[in-house]
Amino acid sequence: MQIEKLRGKELDQLFESILSLKDLEECYRFFDDLCTVNEIQSLAQRLEVARMLREGFTYHKIETETGASTATISRVKRCLNYGNDAYTMALERVHDQKKPTE
């Protein structure tokens, strides 16, 4: 894990703060205070790139739809293939939460 080098009190505080958020509105408020608009857009873009890669979209289609560079798409693909499976975990959980109850 690349992030292991950063592990410590400050990063724990950040992640614990994120985990404490109760709903989407609190997330919007927190990230609005924490990040620049560009930082938020970059994070959202990477997650969308991951979703599209998992669904089999081509680099060209992803680049066109998201505006992501091929370097960003490649980095996300590398994480999907060789990372911690966190993109997959998060996307599956969001997908499962949006399923209508039967």
Side-chain angles (χ1 to χ4, degrees):
M1 261 204 283
Q2 298 175 32
I3 203 166
E4 279 299 321
K5 297 174 189 169
L6 302 175
R7 186 180 286 271
K9 181 180 69 168
E10 291 174 351
L11 200 55
D12 286 353
Q13 177 179 257
L14 171 63
F15 292 154
E16 288 168 0
S17 296
I18 292 168
L19 290 170
S20 78
L21 301 172
K22 293 180 176 55
D23 58 29
L24 200 55
E25 185 56 35
E26 285 189 4
C27 284
Y28 271 94
R29 291 174 41 215
F30 181 74
F31 281 92
D32 189 34
D33 285 350
L34 181 67
C35 301
T36 66
V37 170
N38 287 340
E39 290 167 336
I40 294 168
Q41 288 174 323
S42 292
L43 294 170
Q45 181 187 66
R46 288 180 195 155
L47 189 59
E48 179 61 5
V49 167
R51 183 194 66 78
M52 292 179 78
L53 283 168
R54 288 185 70 235
E55 292 182 10
F57 287 89
T58 64
Y59 271 42
H60 178 70
K61 180 71 169 174
I62 295 168
E63 192 175 8
T64 302
E65 297 246 338
T66 67
S69 68
T70 54
T72 296
I73 298 167
S74 293
R75 183 185 183 288
V76 171
K77 185 173 184 174
R78 190 170 44 253
C79 288
L80 285 171
N81 291 335
Y82 305 109
N84 300 303
D85 296 323
Y87 277 122
T88 299
M89 175 187 63
L91 288 167
E92 286 177 356
R93 287 180 183 173
V94 168
H95 180 264
D96 290 347
Q97 288 174 357
K98 290 187 177 184
K99 281 184 185 174
T101 53
E102 298 175 293

